[in-house]
Structure formats: C-alpha cells, structure tokens
Amino acid sequence: MKRLAIVVPCYNEQEVMENTAIRLTDLMADLIQKKKISADSYILFVDDGSTDGTWELMNEAFEKDPHVCALGLAGNSGQQNALMAGFAAVADNCDMAVSIDADLQDDIDVMEEMIDKYYEGADVIYGVRNDRKTDTFFKRFSAQMFYTLMKLLGAKTVSNHADYRLMSSDVLRQLMRYGERNLFVRGVVPLMGYQSRTVYYARKKRAAGKSKYSLSKMFSTAFEAITSFSIKPISLIVMTGAAITVCALAALVLLLGCSVCGRSISDGKYILTSVWLLGGMQLAAVGVVGEYAGRTYFETKRRPRYRIERILSRDQIPTDGEESSMQGKK
Ligand code: UDP
Ligand code: MG
C-alpha cells in the first residue's frame, strides 16, 4: 500500500476550513479502511499568508486528527507558490500526492479513481471538469479563451483542468528541479512527459466564502502563464511589424507615384505616415522585448519562492522547513 499526501493551498479560507478538514479526513479514513492507501497517509494544509482565522482552524484540525499537518507561509505568495511549498514538503515523504483547492469545488470522490489509475501505472492523473455549469458565464468564457490562446501559442495545457491532480513522488521530485520563479504548475506538468490519465467530474459551487481570484489576479496569472510558456508573442509582433512596414512602404510608393503624376503631396503626409507607423511598431516591439528581458532579470535573481514560517507535523513532514522550501532540492 502506498502513502498518499493531499496538498491543500488555503488563502483566507476560514469559511470552508472546518468543513474541508472534516470531509478530507473522512475521505482519508475511508481510503485507508478500503486499503487503497497506507495508514500513514496525510493531509497537508498550506496557509498562503491568510489574514483571517485560517491558521487557527488548521491548528484545530491538526489537534483533532492525526492525519492532518500544516505549514504556514510568511506572506501571500499566490496559489502556485503555495502549491510548490506543499509539494516540496511532501516530495520525499509520500508515494503520491493529490493537490486540491480548499473550497472543494473539485469532486473529492473521484480521488479514489485517481488512486486506482496510479496503481495501474500512471504517474500523473488529471482531474478534468466536464461540466462547468456552476461557473459564471464570464469565468467559463475567460477560461475557454485562456485555453484556446495557450494552445494557439503552442503551450501544452489540459483543457478544463486546474490544479486537481495526482502526481507520483517521482513527478514531484522532478518538479522541484524546475528552478524558475514564475512556475505555472499546470503548464509544466504536461511538459514533463510522464504517463498520464484523466478522470472527469462536474465542478461544484464554492462551499462558502468568495473566490480568492480577483479579476486582476486572474489576468496576471493568465499573462504569467502565457509569457512564461511561449515566446510566440514576439514572433507575432515581428510579423505585425513586417506587415505594417509593407503597408507603410506601399503608402509611400503611392504617395511618390501621385507626386510623379504631378499631384502635390505635402511633406506632412510623408512624415506623419512614417512617424506614426514606425513609432507604434517600435513601442510595441520594445515593450514585449522588455517584458521578456524583465522576466529574465527576475529569474537570474533566483530568489526563494517563499519562506516557511511555521509547521505543524507529527513526523509526516520534516520540521526544518526552511531548507526543504528552497528550490533545487533533489
Ligand atoms: N489560493 C491561494 N493563494 C492565493 C489565491 C488562492 O492559496 O493567493 C487558494 C485558495 O485558497 C483555493 C485555491 O487557491 O484553495 C483556488 O482559489 P479559488 O477557489 O478562490 O479560485 P477559483 O476556484 O475561484 O478559480
Ligand atoms: Mg475555487
């Protein structure tokens, strides 16, 4: 029997914490009883710098159930980094790990199916939402746009899959070798080329509380994902630039032709055409190049993604968290 770790990133989730802890510990007890996972399996809550009572509720859950442990990050590092903190802590302390959102919008009952597929030999099992009726039209529309754009730009992502996924410890250790700061886990996992399977479920409504993804957070995550996985925007700019140049040249030839035929063309027209087109082109191109250069600059700093401030553990995860939180861990 293999050891399972369930990793749950939580940011200001006091409304759902108690219920989530109960449902996950019940599920774990059930899986242990069915002999699907070993008795030392555990749930790791990662507090992503919550400012409400989330950490206190994690403490309560830790006191109540021996399968619960938790770690708290010093500030709000974002869901992807909170996940990475959790994965770093469990990578060497489990055989497989499932990541799931704290609001349990993803169906925890398909976890058993994920585990079955893991035993059948898959290293990655994606949870895919085949029904998003509970999401708002805007959320569905923006998500669809995002997946389509990612596909067009050549990044491999699994449509309608968020961060509900099972990964073997092998995958987790491999993931730790990705040293980049802006890691979009969802985009990296398919790139690693492990044998993968899929389980389907209907996405539920948030149990309580509000989405922690504001519009700006959603856009910045999408922008980060796109720019960190594709440099096609640069080629798009180059192509646009080339097209504009051709048009500008054509306009200039036209203007010259007209003046050869004896029609008077003011200098202003020439100057305006060239200045506007060239100015716009350069500004856009420089902007995009700057975006990538900026990212390179941040990557070269190799700052730690997060700092672990506190840990609750009964030997499930090491308590010298600071070291294991650093990237580059094998
Ligand atoms: N989350 C996090 N840090 C953040 C934002 C969100 O750890 O800065 C967690 C949040 O607590 C939840 C998960 O990421 O467990 C997904 O967030 P949410 O459910 O609000 O997103 P949505 O389902 O609306 O896309
Ligand atoms: Mg949610």
Side-chain angles (χ1 to χ4, degrees):
M1 260 180 300
K2 302 284 187 178
R3 190 180 197 193
L4 168 74
I6 302 179
V7 177
V8 194
C10 308
Y11 176 56
N12 289 347
E13 296 287 10
Q14 65 179 9
E15 289 95 346
V16 298
M17 264 317 292
E18 200 181 341
N19 177 49
T20 300
I22 293 172
R23 291 200 49 209
L24 287 178
T25 46
D26 284 354
L27 174 78
M28 185 152 272
D30 184 46
L31 290 172
I32 292 172
Q33 198 227 329
K34 283 183 181 161
K35 300 207 183 309
K36 295 257 172 181
I37 53 174
S38 67
D40 59 353
S41 296
Y42 58 99
I43 300 157
L44 171 65
F45 289 108
V46 182
D47 177 19
D48 185 17
S50 298
T51 48
D52 64 356
T54 302
W55 178 252
E56 285 67 35
L57 290 165
M58 283 182 189
N59 272 274
E60 277 175 30
F62 173 74
E63 293 302 332
K64 262 192 226 154
D65 196 293
H67 294 292
V68 172
C69 60
L71 58 86
L73 306 185
N76 182 224
S77 315
Q79 184 197 9
Q80 298 296 303
N81 285 325
L83 274 174
M84 286 303 283
F87 293 150
V90 305
D92 290 328
N93 303 291
C94 69
D95 297 300
M96 56 181 143
V98 174
S99 49
I100 187 164
D101 291 352
D103 54 13
L104 301 191
Q105 281 190 282
D106 305 305
D107 189 357
I108 62 169
D109 295 326
V110 297
M111 217 180 282
E112 190 173 336
E113 203 182 324
M114 287 181 166
I115 294 165
D116 289 342
K117 293 203 152 92
Y118 164 81
Y119 283 119
E120 284 165 19
D123 270 297
V124 181
I125 295 104
Y126 300 108
V128 170
R129 308 147 174 180
N130 58 2
D131 175 0
R132 296 185 67 138
K133 280 199 205 94
T134 56
D135 280 344
T136 60
F137 170 75
F138 178 72
K139 183 105 192 174
R140 280 203 307 257
F141 177 73
S142 55
Q144 204 47 54
M145 286 280 291
F146 172 70
Y147 292 121
T148 311
L149 199 62
M150 285 292 271
K151 229 172 230 156
L152 279 177
L153 293 175
K156 268 190 184 176
T157 44
V158 180
S159 279
N160 286 319
H161 159 71
D163 283 297
Y164 185 27
R165 125 179 34 84
L166 183 148
M167 290 184 280
S168 69
S169 53
D170 223 32
V171 180
L172 293 175
R173 281 193 288 268
Q174 185 68 19
L175 199 57
M176 294 306 122
R177 295 184 53 220
Y178 282 72
E180 63 200 82
R181 294 278 77 83
N182 294 321
L183 191 69
F184 186 57
V185 184
R186 227 177 288 177
V188 151
V189 177
L191 278 185
M192 297 198 303
Y194 279 96
Q195 207 197 99
S196 67
R197 303 281 293 274
T198 307
V199 297
Y200 295 94
Y201 63 93
R203 182 161 155 99
K204 295 186 187 133
K205 264 204 157 64
R206 207 172 216 285
K210 276 204 253 41
S211 171
K212 302 301 172 292
Y213 269 94
S214 58
L215 201 61
S216 65
K217 228 177 196 175
M218 212 159 79
F219 277 118
S220 77
T221 308
F223 189 72
E224 213 128 80
I226 288 164
T227 48
S228 60
F229 277 92
S230 171
I231 52 159
K232 280 201 181 165
I234 294 190
S235 5
L236 273 179
I237 291 290
V238 175
M239 267 151 45
T240 315
I244 291 174
T245 313
V246 169
C247 290
L249 276 175
L252 280 175
V253 167
L254 204 71
L255 291 178
L256 282 172
C258 286
S259 74
V260 166
C261 294
R263 289 174 62 180
S264 84
I265 310 281
S266 65
D267 287 349
K269 278 200 179 121
Y270 288 115
I271 296 168
L272 261 185
T273 333
S274 5
V275 167
W276 279 50
L277 291 182
L278 281 176
M281 247 170 67
Q282 283 173 347
L283 207 66
V286 166
V288 171
V289 172
E291 186 64 42
Y292 284 93
R295 267 150 218 277
T296 314
Y297 165 69
F298 278 112
E299 295 294 347
T300 52
K301 286 190 179 211
R302 307 196 70 76
R303 287 180 183 162
R305 284 191 200 96
Y306 48 79
R307 179 174 66 80
I308 293 178
E309 202 170 53
R310 43 204 175 177
I311 291 181
L312 300 177
S313 168
R314 291 184 183 87
D315 291 337
Q316 295 103 327
I317 57 169
T319 41
D320 54 0
E322 198 58 42
E323 262 151 43
S324 61
S325 73
M326 293 299 149
Q327 63 83 30
K329 191 181 157 216
K330 286 264 152 84

